Amino acid sequence: MTFTQYYKPDDMSASVPEHLQTDEDLQQQIMDINLLYSAAIREVSTKLDVLGDDFRMKHSYVPIHHMQSRLKSFESLMDKAERYGIEDPIHNLDTVRAEVFDIAGIRVVCNYREDIYTMSELLLKQSDVDLIKIKDYCKNPKPSGYRSLHVVISIPVFLVNSKTTVPVEIQFRSIAMDTWASLEHELKYKNKGALTEDIQKQLTQCAKTLSDVDEQMERIRHQVF
Ligand code: GTP
Ligand code: MG
């Protein structure tokens, strides 16, 4: 038997502004968020892992190519809360938690486009999983060309003395969709968010080309199996 180290997401309190690090009540609230949301990431990742394993046993095929997860940093959580118009978010963390659904985020990269729907449906069928919202940018791509299925679910997390329902945002994508989103994000980030209209147009065209390839690969798959 091999023992693997349990993956634990980053410590959120690492990004708390220095002048607030002496506020004990705030520290406790941030530690609670860190514990709950990182636990929720592990719960949902395990569910998806188990589904993948069972799929392999039953169909000799694994629909998930790979998964990534992240806990939003405190700094980026506060930035988002301000964009959402929440006043004094640092002292209103309950409101922040009620309105920001992607504190816990998981990205599920599937081999084929149809695997996205297979995996998301299997997850949503589970009795302890509740759907909060779903946005299908595969069927309705963003103007940029971005494609993915965004699903926000909530699941219960059990602690020593409590049970809390925690939201988790899951982005389901095909490998081709992930290729585009990763490279486009990198290009935007490197250019500080400003890409010319012409570059954006070229990127949107690339997204369309990759989507055509996805469709073609799916057809080939059906011919082979
Ligand atoms: P915000 O999360 O506040 O933006 O609102 P929202 O939940 O309505 O946003 P959305 O459904 O667009 O999901 C946002 C996430 O999707 C981002 O953090 C990215 O991971 C991804 N995303 C959305 N649009 C794009 C895009 O054009 N390019 C890339 N690379 N990623 C995108
Ligand atoms: Mg979002």
Side-chain angles (χ1 to χ4, degrees), residues 80 84 102 107 133 135 137 142 144 146 150 169 171 173 180-181 184-185 188:
K80 186 160 189 171
Y84 278 19
D102 68 342
R107 192 166 284 159
K133 65 175 180 176
K135 284 193 239 168
Y137 299 124
K142 289 203 160 192
S144 62
Y146 177 77
H150 288 195
E169 183 185 88
Q171 300 179 344
R173 318 174 157 167
W180 184 90
E184 190 256 9
H185 177 80
K188 260 204 294 213

Side-chain angles (χ1 to χ4, degrees), residues 35 51 63 70 91 102 104 106 127 154 158 171 176 193 210 212 217:
L35 175 69
L51 286 172
R70 68 106 183 85
H91 297 104
D102 68 342
I106 301 179
S127 59
S154 69
F158 294 88
Q171 300 179 344
L210 284 164
D212 292 342
M217 291 298 293

Side-chain angles (χ1 to χ4, degrees), residues 194-216:
L195 294 177
T196 65
E197 217 169 285
D198 174 55
I199 295 286
Q200 275 174 21
K201 233 169 142 176
Q202 292 184 54
L203 284 167
T204 310
Q205 183 53 50
C206 284
K208 173 77 176 79
T209 306
L210 284 164
S211 167
D212 292 342
V213 171
D214 251 348
E215 221 178 284
Q216 216 175 336

